[in-house]
Amino acid sequence: MAFMKRRYRRYGQRPGQYTPWVILGVCLVVAVILTLVTGALLRRWLDDETYQKLTQGTAQTPPVSEPVRVSVPNINAYPFALGDDPADARKVPALSISLNTPEGEMLYTSAVAEYLHLPCKESVSLTEQMQAVSQQTAYISGVFYPSAFAYEYEPLRYAATAGDVALVREFLQAGARDVLLLDLPFDTRPLNEILSYVEAVKQGTSSLGAVGVAVPPEIAASETGWEILGQLLTICDFLALDLSHSDVEANGLPVAPADLLRQYDYFLTQYAMRPLLSDRQTALREELELRMYGNYQIFTAPATPMG
């Protein structure tokens, strides 16, 4: 019996047998080693960008806020000057109000104009006049001459652009529905500068109103005209065809209004461009009225500088 008891006590775990905990620990060590070796090989074989994508995933690009596109109706806008009798606004379907002259003089006074130390028409208050006129009409379109391109030095052009944006923004906040940028230097400045300017105005005015660009017909009909018009329409809300200098031929003879409209019918139709004419072009205005043309704008032509 003693012999049997001694044999029983010696019976136990056989040599070479491991517990589950030991096996698990060995697996963990092997996994760590494999991870380190794989990482080292990937770093050696792959470029930094690919390695980062595999190990950290693709970085999320922050969303870029696109400018809010504003729907623009067809209008028949006639010239009106702030300071005139507001009751006269009821005589026409829509108003075309000039903000400034090509030389940069504001045709009213306002907080922004005073801040920028611009020459102003002191007798006309933007806020008071727009409040009175807005009660008499359903649509006001502004005509604005940019000042930024008067500067070759880029930092000054940037500062002047900011001033232009502030003026356009103020006018829209006062009650206008759209502002048309007139006399952009398509023939003297690179297209990217003009596009950057228009984009700055559009971004700076947010959804306060529509921003349009007046394009001369010779630019629209040029070899690169389709590209210029297409790129502008990706930024601004509408285009106008500036016919204010197109009613005479090279020999100085007048062009029949019907022929003029026929000549540029493709652009007016294909790009839904708003014909823009000055208040001096009475024959062209009468032709548009006779046709009951549904979309045009007349602005007050700037005074001719004294020679």
Side-chain angles (χ1 to χ4, degrees):
M1 293 296 293
F3 172 74
M4 293 295 293
K5 289 179 180 180
R6 284 195 297 271
R7 286 189 62 186
Y8 179 78
R9 282 196 298 267
R10 286 200 305 267
Y11 181 79
Q13 189 177 33
R14 288 177 293 177
Q17 206 174 25
Y18 301 101
T19 66
W21 293 107
V22 174
I23 296 174
L24 180 60
V26 172
C27 291
L28 289 174
V29 171
V30 172
V32 171
I33 294 174
L34 286 175
T35 300
L36 294 175
V37 172
T38 302
L41 292 175
L42 287 175
R43 186 176 291 276
R44 178 184 294 271
W45 292 339
L46 303 178
D47 58 85
D48 293 339
E49 183 179 357
T50 305
Y51 178 77
Q52 184 176 6
K53 288 181 179 179
L54 287 173
T55 56
Q56 301 179 13
T58 304
Q60 295 295 323
T61 303
V64 178
S65 58
E66 294 291 336
V68 178
R69 300 303 296 269
V70 179
S71 177
V72 182
N74 290 339
I75 61 170
N76 296 145
Y78 288 79
F80 183 89
L82 293 180
D84 290 350
D85 186 355
D88 292 342
R90 289 179 289 183
K91 300 177 181 179
V92 291
L95 303 183
S96 174
I97 298 178
S98 295
L99 282 69
N100 59 353
T101 68
E103 294 74 33
E105 179 185 1
M106 303 304 298
L107 299 177
Y108 54 78
T109 184
S110 72
V112 172
E114 291 178 354
Y115 176 81
L116 295 173
H117 301 291
L118 297 173
C120 300
K121 191 173 182 180
E122 297 290 345
S123 61
V124 178
S125 167
L126 172 66
T127 303
E128 295 176 2
Q129 292 296 318
M130 287 292 284
Q131 285 178 350
V133 173
S134 297
Q135 297 174 10
Q136 309 296 329
T137 184
Y139 202 99
I140 296 175
S141 175
V143 177
F144 181 75
Y145 291 95
S147 68
F149 295 100
Y151 302 95
E152 293 289 341
Y153 185 48
E154 195 279 333
L156 282 179
R157 190 165 64 250
Y158 179 87
T161 298
D164 288 353
V165 172
L167 290 168
V168 172
R169 182 181 179 88
E170 182 185 42
F171 192 76
L172 290 171
Q173 285 181 319
R177 296 282 297 279
D178 73 50
V179 170
L180 182 62
L181 305 176
L182 184 60
D183 276 6
L184 290 171
F186 290 100
D187 54 346
T188 59
R189 289 302 185 104
L191 179 60
N192 65 312
E193 285 187 12
I194 295 175
L195 294 175
S196 296
Y197 177 85
V198 175
E199 185 174 16
V201 176
K202 178 59 185 170
Q203 291 278 8
T205 55
S206 185
S207 58
L208 293 172
V211 173
V213 175
V215 181
E218 59 271 19
I219 297 298
S222 66
E223 291 184 359
T224 58
W226 62 272
E227 179 183 4
I228 294 173
L229 298 180
Q231 292 195 52
L232 283 171
L233 283 174
T234 65
I235 300 172
C236 65
D237 299 298
F238 70 99
L239 297 177
L241 189 65
D242 184 5
L243 301 176
S244 60
H245 303 288
S246 303
D247 55 353
V248 293
E249 295 178 344
N251 56 11
L253 297 176
V255 179
D259 293 338
L260 186 64
L261 294 176
R262 188 180 306 111
Q263 180 180 355
Y264 298 117
D265 180 69
Y266 171 79
F267 303 104
L268 298 174
T269 304
Q270 184 69 22
Y271 296 95
M273 300 181 79
R274 178 190 298 173
L276 179 70
L277 56 151
S278 79
D279 56 354
R280 299 172 185 167
Q281 295 171 293
T282 55
L284 181 55
R285 186 204 70 210
E286 290 172 355
E287 179 71 20
L288 290 170
E289 292 174 339
L290 182 64
R291 293 186 178 203
M292 300 183 68
Y293 202 88
N295 188 31
Y296 59 83
Q297 181 168 358
I298 308 171
F299 73 102
T300 301
T304 304
M306 299 295 292

